[in-house]
């Protein structure tokens, strides 16, 4: 058991959104947030829940200059009985420590973080929307706060959790998207920070995302940073292919983010009796297989969309389509099963859900 986390309640509670159907993503924040500080020699201290408000940081705070920071993303889901539940939250805080290790940020206690998150959610439970497909998006993050321009790991940090009611990702149903295979820019390399959830990976990806968007594509498919040949991930999602009826995904090689949805899809596939493979996939291999009609489905996996079917890929001057641009049966099964468990509509056979 952990000691109670002190709460300072807001004097000015915000009006809750009038409707759950126009929440959008990441624009509305709840009344309170969780904070704890790290001070070298003392560890993580002063855990507290306080009103959501701007921070006061020195302009020289290290995070602004050298990007020593990590983040996470998960969701709280309204259950049919009105309660609130989380999906595999401990995995997110274990991943915090994987990211921290790479970014030389001191580790957190994952169990305490889950506890703190639940305390915050108990206070903010009324902010969890209930319209179908909506959720309360949870953003834990850590920033380096030493007021110093020297290039070294910070001695002080802030860990925070903020909450944002979010709309249904698929307002119009699961429509497959078109993806641009990026052959100029790369997201990550082995030995770099690709496996860590760190803001710099996103900063580095914006240019490709913007170019793809201009060309009429919603996301990019990243290739490896050395050969620009092996498939890594799509946008901020992991990627799966159904090739010859086998579910294939790039192996975690150090430059790919180890997604919790990815892991869940692989675990479910095994339970459902589908053959799975985690391995290197060359873009030319994929292209040849696609042209031969052997790639029946392509989809991305991530917390935000859960499953995002891919209808078409563009690489150099060539476009290939999958399943005639419609969602495939396996993509639909994974989507229905995972969201069914998350929203309490299907039995939670694997004990993935945690109620407050
Ligand atoms: C967060 C993230 C994912 C998906 O991870 P989930 O745990 O499934 O949400 C995939 N790729 C990148 C780059 C990410 O940042």
């Amino acid at each position: 058991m952990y000691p109670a986390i002190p709460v300072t309640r807001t004097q000015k509670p915000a009006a809750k959104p009038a409707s759950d159907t126009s929440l959008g993503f990441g624009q509305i924040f709840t009344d309170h947030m969780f904070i704890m500080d790290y001070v070298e020699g003392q560890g993580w201290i002063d855990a507290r829940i306080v009103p959501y408000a701007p921070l006061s940081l020195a302009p020289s705070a290290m995070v602004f200059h050298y990007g020593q920071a990590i983040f996470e993303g998960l969701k709280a889901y309204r259950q049919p009985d009105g309660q609130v539940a989380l999906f595999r939250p401990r995995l997110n805080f274990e991943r915090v420590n994987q990211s921290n290790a790479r970014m030389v940020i001191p580790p957190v206690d994952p169990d305490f973080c889950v506890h703190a998150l639940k305390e915050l959610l108990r206070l903010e439970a009324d902010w969890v929307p209930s319209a179908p497909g909506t959720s309360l998006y949870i953003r834990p993050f850590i920033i380096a706060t030493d007021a110093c321009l020297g290039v070294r790991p910070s001695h002080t940090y802030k860990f925070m959790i903020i909450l944002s009611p979010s709309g249904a990702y698929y307002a119009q149903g699961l429509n497959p998207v078109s993806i641009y295979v990026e052959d100029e820019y790369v997201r990550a390399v082995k030995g770099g920070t690709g496996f860590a959830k760190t803001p710099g990976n996103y900063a580095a990806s914006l240019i490709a995302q913007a170019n793809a968007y201009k060309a009429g594509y919603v996301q990019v498919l990243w290739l490896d940073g050395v050969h620009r040949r092996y498939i890594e991930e799509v946008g901020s999602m992991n990627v799966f292919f159904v090739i010859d009826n086998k579910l294939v995904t790039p192996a975690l090689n150090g430059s790919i983010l180890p997604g919790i949805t990815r892991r869940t899809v692989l675990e479910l596939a095994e339970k459902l009796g589908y053959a799975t493979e985690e391995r290197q996939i060359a873009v030319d291999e994929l292209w040849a297989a696609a042209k031969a009609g052997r790639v029946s489905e392509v989809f991305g996996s991530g917390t935000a969309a859960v499953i995002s079917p891919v209808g078409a890929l563009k690489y150099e001057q060539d476009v290939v389509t999958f399943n005639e641009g419609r969602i495939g049966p396996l993509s639909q099964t994974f989507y229905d099963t995972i969201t069914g468990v998350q929203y309490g509509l299907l039995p939670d056979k694997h004990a993935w859900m945690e109620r407050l």
Side-chain angles (χ1 to χ4, degrees):
M1 279 307 285
Y2 295 100
I5 297 171
V7 177
T8 309
R9 282 180 181 262
T10 180
Q11 298 301 306
K12 293 175 279 181
K16 306 266 180 327
S19 148
D20 286 356
T21 52
S22 54
L23 293 170
F25 176 75
Q27 290 167 299
I28 304 165
F29 297 93
T30 71
D31 285 326
H32 300 90
M33 61 184 178
F34 172 82
I35 307 191
M36 60 183 175
D37 299 306
Y38 182 88
V39 178
E40 206 163 81
Q42 298 181 57
W44 289 103
I45 56 167
D46 204 12
R48 60 208 186 269
I49 292 171
V50 296
Y52 179 88
L55 301 171
S56 176
L57 290 174
S60 55
M62 282 185 159
V63 64
F64 298 134
H65 305 277
Y66 309 123
Q68 194 193 5
I70 67 93
F71 68 95
E72 269 301 326
L74 68 162
K75 291 172 171 177
Y77 306 87
R78 182 72 70 191
Q79 304 295 292
D81 64 2
Q83 286 197 33
V84 173
L86 296 160
F87 180 74
R88 314 187 84 178
R90 203 174 187 286
L91 296 182
N92 290 90
F93 294 104
E94 286 171 4
R95 191 167 63 188
V96 163
N97 282 342
Q98 291 170 21
S99 301
N100 280 7
R102 178 64 179 82
M103 304 308 289
V104 206
I105 298 172
V108 295
D109 170 357
D111 290 322
F112 176 71
C113 292
V114 173
H115 165 74
L117 171 58
K118 287 181 179 174
E119 289 283 304
L120 178 63
L121 287 170
R122 281 182 198 113
L123 187 65
E124 303 289 65
D126 287 352
W127 285 90
V128 181
S130 44
T134 62
S135 59
L136 186 68
Y137 185 77
I138 300 162
R139 170 53 57 86
F141 64 108
I142 301 176
I143 55 172
T145 53
D146 275 12
C148 174
L149 298 182
V151 179
R152 57 159 175 83
S154 185
H155 303 313
T156 59
Y157 299 88
K158 276 189 191 302
F159 173 110
M160 282 172 273
I161 304 176
I162 57 175
L163 306 173
S164 176
S166 297
Y169 193 92
Y170 292 110
Q172 267 87 47
L174 259 82
N175 288 321
V177 294
S178 295
I179 304 265
Y180 182 91
V181 182
E182 177 58 53
D183 56 3
E184 181 180 3
Y185 300 107
V186 299
R187 175 187 168 274
V189 291
K190 278 189 196 60
T193 58
F195 69 90
K197 230 170 158 73
T198 187
N201 292 338
Y202 279 75
S205 75
L206 295 176
I207 188 167
Q209 174 70 45
N211 288 345
Y213 208 75
K214 268 185 249 158
Y217 295 83
V218 298
Q219 291 271 11
V220 300
L221 181 71
W222 296 107
L223 301 178
D224 78 278
V226 176
H227 311 281
R228 289 184 215 180
R229 175 160 180 237
Y230 299 104
I231 289 166
E232 298 228 311
E233 30 184 328
V234 20
S236 49
M237 289 186 279
N238 296 111
V239 67
F240 285 86
F241 304 92
V242 182
I243 307 176
D244 297 329
N245 292 316
K246 223 183 270 167
L247 187 65
V248 188
T249 192
L252 300 178
N253 59 0
S255 53
I256 294 172
L257 200 291
I260 293 162
T261 319
R262 174 188 183 278
R263 173 171 165 171
T264 302
V265 166
L266 286 170
E267 289 172 7
L268 265 181
E270 310 245 305
K271 299 244 155 62
L272 294 170
Y274 292 104
T276 62
E277 259 178 22
E278 295 176 73
R279 63 170 171 88
Q280 252 186 356
I281 307 163
V283 65
D284 35 308
E285 174 203 336
L286 177 73
W287 233 250
K291 297 248 152 150
R294 294 165 40 223
V295 184
S296 51
E297 298 182 46
V298 179
F299 62 90
S301 74
T303 295
V306 186
I307 298 293
S308 177
V310 176
L313 284 178
K314 177 171 191 199
Y315 177 52
E316 294 171 341
Q317 295 313 315
D318 204 16
V319 176
V320 288
T321 59
F322 306 100
N323 200 37
E324 293 160 2
R326 288 167 300 140
I327 181 168
L330 217 48
S331 312
Q332 188 76 56
T333 298
F334 289 129
Y335 181 81
D336 292 344
T337 308
I338 297 170
T339 57
V341 172
Q342 289 171 335
Y343 287 95
L345 304 171
L346 290 177
D348 178 21
K349 285 189 233 159
H350 316 296
W352 283 334
M353 302 306 291
E354 269 191 50
R355 294 192 168 220
L356 297 191

